[in-house]
Amino acid sequence: LVKSSLLFPTSKPAPCFNPVFDVIPRCCECRAEAMDSSSFSESAEEDSQSVQQVSTKAAAAPNEQEERRKKASVSMLRVLTAHALRGVYGVCDSLSLSCVWHLLRRSRELWVTMRDAVIFNLIWMGISFIKSAFLSKWVQQLVGDGSWVLDLGFMLTWNLPVYLCLWLLSIFWHNTIVQECCRLLGRKAIRQVDPMQALMESSAKVADEVYRLLVVAVFYFCAKIIQLLLAQIKMRLLGALIYNLSNCWMASFYAMEYVWTTLGWNLEERILFFEARWSYLGGFGLPITLATFSLPFLQAAAVYATFFPFLVILATSATPKSHVDAFRLRLFALPMHAAHAVVEHGLKLIGW
């Protein structure tokens, strides 16, 4: 019976507990469930963090744009202030009469040259002003409508010949002034230029001089065209401002050109130097432009010729620095292209 009960049990035996195969699967299932829940929570946190970052970036975008605009406006204001200060420095340097007096005391040759230039130009300026102030009105009352004939005769017999003679003499005077000032200030000239040699050679070569004259003429022509166009659209004040500003630049260019020629610079070097210091040189030519802008042509030329030798001395002693922002205002880009086209076309016509 014992054997039969052992061999053929009537009831199912109690399941035995296997610690290896029962505990481990359950632990794995718990761990899997725990990992699923933890990964879900982590992904939810990451999603919430990304949403917060996007929202913060979206909220910070207008602030960054405002900061950039503020920085741009501050930098622009700084640049404009720097250029305005350079213009003020140019005006102060063009009015530094103490420097002129200091150089005149050190050289008798400079004193004599300046005396001759100023006396001859003062005589011409005085006669021009007397004629315009008194003689013109008296002749108009005496002759009437035919006064323009006498004005034309006076211009052809006095103003124009005297203007040309003084223009030729000014080449001697200005070259002598620059040479002497360079010697006094310790600047080395490429060579000592004789006045007659300076008249014959002018700047360097004849072709360079013609090219320079064309560049200056096109520059004045462009400034005048801009003034006339602005006057047609009822912006006369802006047109007059641009034209007088171009006169300031050209007065500085003429004064500095004697120094550049003495130092041996070519036209490209002069223009590069000028365009990198445009605000200073605009202020440097402002006083002489203000003294002549409201006068007729010949009277303005007389005043200009009288004060220009002083401007040449000041240009010799001036040391304009380049701008902080290194911004080059291409003032002579269009005149140089136009002059180059004219010269090239002219050379083709003559067969060169």
Side-chain angles (χ1 to χ4, degrees):
L1 291 173
V2 172
K3 290 181 179 179
S4 62
S5 62
L6 291 173
L7 293 173
F8 303 100
T10 57
S11 62
K12 294 182 179 180
C16 60
F17 178 75
N18 193 337
V20 176
F21 295 102
D22 288 343
V23 175
I24 291 177
R26 294 177 183 176
C27 293
C28 292
E29 292 177 359
C30 295
R31 288 178 183 176
E33 292 177 357
M35 289 175 65
D36 293 337
S37 61
S38 62
S39 62
F40 179 76
S41 61
E42 288 177 358
S43 62
E45 290 178 358
E46 290 177 356
D47 293 337
S48 62
Q49 289 178 359
S50 62
V51 170
Q52 290 178 359
Q53 289 177 359
V54 170
S55 61
T56 53
K57 287 181 180 180
N63 295 328
E64 291 180 356
Q65 292 180 356
E66 290 180 0
E67 290 179 358
R68 290 177 181 176
R69 290 175 183 175
K70 289 181 180 179
K71 289 181 180 179
S73 61
V74 169
S75 62
M76 181 63 68
L77 182 61
R78 188 183 296 113
V79 169
L80 293 176
T81 305
H83 285 295
L85 289 176
R86 293 299 172 89
V88 172
Y89 293 155
V91 173
C92 294
D93 288 344
S94 65
L95 296 175
S96 180
L97 298 179
S98 60
C99 180
V100 177
W101 176 248
H102 179 69
L103 292 174
L104 289 174
R105 290 180 59 188
R106 294 174 59 187
S107 175
R108 178 172 176 79
E109 184 179 1
L110 182 61
W111 175 270
V112 172
T113 306
M114 285 290 296
R115 181 194 63 190
D116 296 340
V118 171
I119 288 176
F120 278 98
N121 287 309
L122 279 176
I123 292 172
W124 179 39
M125 182 176 66
I127 293 176
S128 299
F129 273 98
I130 290 172
K131 184 260 177 186
S132 62
F134 301 103
L135 294 180
S136 296
K137 295 180 180 179
W138 181 72
V139 169
Q140 188 175 5
Q141 293 177 359
L142 184 64
V143 180
D145 295 335
S147 60
W148 66 271
V149 179
L150 295 177
D151 291 337
L152 181 61
F154 183 80
M155 180 183 296
L156 294 176
T157 57
W158 170 256
N159 282 331
L160 195 59
V162 171
Y163 177 76
L164 293 176
C165 291
L166 290 176
W167 179 75
L168 293 174
L169 288 173
S170 67
I171 297 176
F172 300 119
W173 292 331
H174 298 157
N175 278 284
T176 304
I177 289 170
V178 170
Q179 291 288 336
E180 191 64 20
C181 289
C182 287
R183 185 186 67 81
L184 294 174
L185 296 173
R187 293 187 175 183
K188 294 183 179 180
I190 54 172
R191 53 191 173 89
Q192 295 294 325
V193 182
D194 185 73
M196 183 58 69
Q197 187 179 1
L199 178 61
M200 297 299 295
E201 297 182 359
S202 185
S203 180
K205 297 179 180 179
V206 177
D208 292 338
E209 184 65 17
V210 172
Y211 183 71
R212 184 190 67 84
L213 291 175
L214 284 174
V215 170
V216 172
V218 173
F219 183 85
Y220 269 121
F221 179 76
C222 293
K224 194 65 179 178
I225 289 296
I226 291 173
Q227 183 187 15
L228 294 176
L229 290 176
L230 290 176
Q232 293 296 323
I233 58 175
K234 297 181 180 180
M235 299 179 68
R236 296 179 181 273
L237 184 60
L238 181 59
L241 179 63
I242 292 174
Y243 183 74
N244 287 304
L245 183 59
S246 66
N247 289 331
C248 295
W249 281 323
M250 292 314 300
S252 301
F253 186 83
Y254 287 146
M256 293 286 180
E257 193 177 25
Y258 286 97
V259 184
W260 298 334
T261 304
T262 305
L263 298 177
W265 292 10
N266 57 27
L267 182 61
E268 292 182 357
E269 291 174 343
R270 302 173 201 173
I271 290 177
L272 180 63
F273 182 88
F274 188 92
E275 290 178 346
R277 295 158 178 83
W278 56 272
S279 58
Y280 175 90
L281 294 171
F284 190 81
L286 180 62
I288 195 170
T289 303
L290 292 177
T292 57
F293 82 98
S294 62
L295 299 175
F297 174 74
L298 291 174
Q299 296 178 15
V303 175
Y304 189 93
T306 303
F307 292 102
F308 190 74
F310 297 96
L311 197 66
V312 172
I313 295 179
L314 294 169
T316 309
S317 60
T319 55
K321 298 180 181 180
S322 60
H323 296 152
V324 179
D325 58 343
F327 174 68
R328 180 185 172 189
L329 185 62
R330 302 294 296 269
L331 294 170
F332 293 94
L334 180 61
M336 288 184 69
H337 286 296
H340 181 74
V342 170
V343 171
E344 187 177 359
H345 186 67
L347 292 176
K348 287 181 179 179
L349 288 177
I350 62 177
W352 282 19

